[in-house]
């Protein structure tokens, strides 16, 4: 193992028990997966892009420590929002004290709040909309179809936004992913701001729903990728819960049970960072062993759950893997 930096040394020395120890164990096991030439998927729920996870995740991608990403439509677009409108964001440390009138005032000034951070509608969302609509319309006119992330990849790689960058582009995880051309799975993309944009333009007839490939086609794409890349194992690093985690983990039992591909390897590693508590019927709060019963994980699969805030935990794990 190569020499680690001060952040890594700090956590390995001080994080000895409870969730802290789970963090270190999960990081070390992740590194073992990479050393065994396994592939790694990271799933992004919540608002990790608005939390600026790209500050560490982008370098993880560049250093080939992430090979495929599944994210919500919000995380897909919000990384680009931050890239072009960072200076216009408003942070509200006292967000817990806001009254309904305060919230209405934010809306009146075109700020959409995500916990303590407000995304500026005009400078972020509408600036991206124009470029995406051009691509959606062109695809409709040509009877072409693309995945949601492919439109974003095309936009970023075209250079159309370069003059609008307000952060160092090395801190955009989606740009790093586009430059590496790694797969990005975006289930339920229509549940996002840009998905709403797309629906509205379909309603008025400017583009057509078929211009964007569906979630079923994402599952087909993921199945094909998994079949080609699971020889040394594929690990599953889940940030949060929801569809970003639920959708891709099901590719293994789908291939095994529904396609009849009985030699499909189970996921070779599992870690979830979540503040969701175990409760009746909760999937996000389910202990990893429950996934054994669904044909996703095995008895001997390294399994970790870190019950903490992903905005704190994920950068520390990534720092360890990057040797910071």
């Amino acid at each position: 193992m190569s020499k680690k930096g001060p952040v890594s040394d700090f956590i390995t020395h001080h994080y000895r028990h409870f969730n802290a120890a789970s963090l270190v164990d999960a990081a070390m096991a992740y590194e073992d997966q990479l050393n065994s030439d396994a592939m790694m998927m990271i799933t992004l729920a919540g608002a990790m892009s608005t939390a600026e996870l790209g500050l560490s995740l982008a370098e993880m991608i560049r250093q080939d420590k992430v090979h495929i990403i599944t994210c919500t439509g919000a995380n897909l677009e919000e990384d680009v929002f931050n890239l072009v409108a960072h200076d216009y964001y408003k942070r509200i440390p006292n967000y817990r004290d806001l009254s309904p009138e305060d919230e209405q005032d934010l809306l009146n000034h075109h700020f959409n709040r995500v916990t303590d951070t407000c995304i500026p509608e005009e400078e972020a969302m509408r600036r991206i909309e124009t470029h995406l609509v051009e691509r959606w319309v062109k695809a409709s006119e040509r009877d072409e179809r693309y995945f949601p992330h492919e439109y974003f990849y095309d936009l970023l790689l075209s250079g159309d936004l370069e003059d609008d960058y307000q952060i160092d582009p090395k801190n955009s995880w989606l740009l790093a992913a586009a430059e590496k051309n790694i797969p990005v799975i975006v289930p339920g993309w229509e549940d996002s701001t840009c998905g709403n944009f797309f629906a509205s333009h379909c309603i008025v007839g400017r583009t057509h729903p078929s211009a964007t490939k569906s979630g079923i086609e994402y599952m087909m794409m993921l199945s094909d990728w998994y079949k080609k890349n699971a020889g040394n194992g594929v690990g599953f690093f889940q940030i949060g819960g929801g569809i970003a985690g639920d959708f891709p983990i099901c590719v293994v039992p789908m291939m095994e049970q529904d396609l009849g591909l009985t030699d499909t390897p189970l996921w070779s590693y599992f870690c979830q960072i979540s503040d969701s508590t175990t409760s009746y019927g909760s999937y996000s709060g389910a202990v990893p062993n429950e996934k054994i019963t669904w044909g996703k994980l095995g008895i001997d699969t390294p399994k970790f759950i870190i019950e903490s805030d992903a905005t704190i935990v994920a950068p520390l794990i990534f720092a360890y893997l990057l040797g910071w």
Side-chain angles (χ1 to χ4, degrees):
M1 184 177 66
S2 59
K3 180 174 172 56
K4 299 288 188 181
V7 178
S8 300
D9 289 344
F10 180 87
I11 64 172
T12 53
H13 181 71
H14 291 277
Y15 285 24
R16 302 186 181 201
H17 304 282
F18 315 140
N19 275 302
S22 296
L23 183 158
V24 176
D25 292 343
M28 289 182 172
Y30 190 129
E31 191 166 62
D32 289 342
Q33 290 285 301
L34 295 176
N35 290 338
S36 300
D37 293 324
M39 310 292 270
M40 293 298 295
M41 172 184 280
I42 285 183
T43 75
L44 303 175
M48 297 309 297
S49 291
T50 293
E52 298 190 69
L53 188 63
L55 289 162
S56 55
L57 179 56
E59 188 62 20
M60 287 279 289
I61 294 168
R62 282 190 289 270
Q63 292 195 23
D64 298 316
K65 300 181 188 297
V66 182
H67 307 97
I68 183 170
I69 289 175
T70 300
C71 70
T72 57
N75 276 303
L76 182 76
E77 65 195 14
E78 287 177 15
D79 183 78
V80 184
F81 293 165
N82 181 61
L83 178 64
V84 301
H86 180 82
D87 295 347
Y88 295 97
Y89 278 59
K90 179 193 292 285
R91 183 164 179 264
I92 305 178
N94 65 325
Y95 68 92
R96 291 180 177 86
D97 301 327
L98 294 177
S99 68
E101 290 75 20
D102 294 330
E103 305 279 20
Q104 182 66 47
D105 186 63
L106 288 172
L107 174 63
N108 293 343
H109 289 87
H110 304 287
F111 282 104
N112 299 131
R113 184 170 70 81
V114 181
T115 312
D116 71 344
T117 303
C118 297
I119 302 174
E121 178 184 343
E122 293 300 325
E123 291 80 7
M125 302 171 184
R126 297 302 172 184
R127 183 176 296 175
I128 298 300
E129 179 183 19
T130 301
H131 294 284
L132 289 174
V133 170
E134 292 175 0
R135 287 161 170 80
W136 295 332
V137 169
K138 185 180 295 184
S140 294
E141 291 173 347
R142 297 176 177 178
D143 291 324
E144 296 174 348
R145 307 179 67 244
Y146 300 99
F147 286 113
H149 78 279
E150 291 180 313
Y151 285 109
F152 279 86
Y153 273 16
D154 182 71
L155 173 56
L156 290 171
L157 296 176
S158 71
D160 289 355
L161 296 177
E162 285 183 4
D163 290 342
D164 295 321
Y165 288 174
Q166 294 188 356
I167 63 168
D168 189 328
K170 75 176 185 181
N171 295 326
S172 164
W173 72 261
L174 190 62
L175 179 57
E179 290 171 344
K180 283 278 187 179
N181 196 31
I182 70 170
V184 177
I185 311 296
V186 193
W189 170 74
E190 55 272 20
D191 179 23
S192 66
T193 297
C194 290
N196 292 166
F197 290 165
F198 182 71
S200 70
H201 287 282
C202 289
I203 290 169
V204 299
R206 293 196 66 193
T207 187
H208 192 275
S210 64
T212 298
K213 292 185 178 181
S214 69
I216 296 298
E217 288 165 290
Y218 262 132
M219 183 59 81
M220 294 167 64
M221 167 187 161
L222 176 55
S223 174
D224 183 61
W225 182 92
Y226 196 92
K227 186 162 43 177
K228 292 175 180 176
N229 290 280
N232 292 318
V234 182
F236 197 94
F237 189 86
Q238 179 174 339
I239 298 176
I243 195 172
D246 299 353
F247 182 92
I249 203 168
C250 291
V251 72
V252 169
M254 186 275 290
M255 294 170 69
E256 174 83 14
Q257 300 168 20
D258 303 325
L259 278 176
L261 302 176
T262 54
D263 58 346
T264 302
L266 301 176
W267 295 96
S268 60
Y269 163 100
F270 177 82
C271 176
Q272 181 180 8
I273 307 169
S274 174
D275 60 2
S276 179
T277 57
T278 301
S279 62
Y280 304 108
S282 166
Y283 186 76
S284 296
V287 297
N289 278 354
E290 185 175 294
K291 294 172 174 58
I292 295 174
T293 73
W294 291 89
K296 300 167 184 175
L297 305 179
I299 294 172
D300 299 322
T301 306
K303 308 174 192 68
F304 308 90
I305 187 161
I306 307 166
E307 294 175 302
S308 188
D309 186 332
T311 62
I312 299 169
V313 170
L316 289 174
I317 291 179
F318 294 166
Y320 179 87
L321 294 165
L322 293 166
W324 290 353

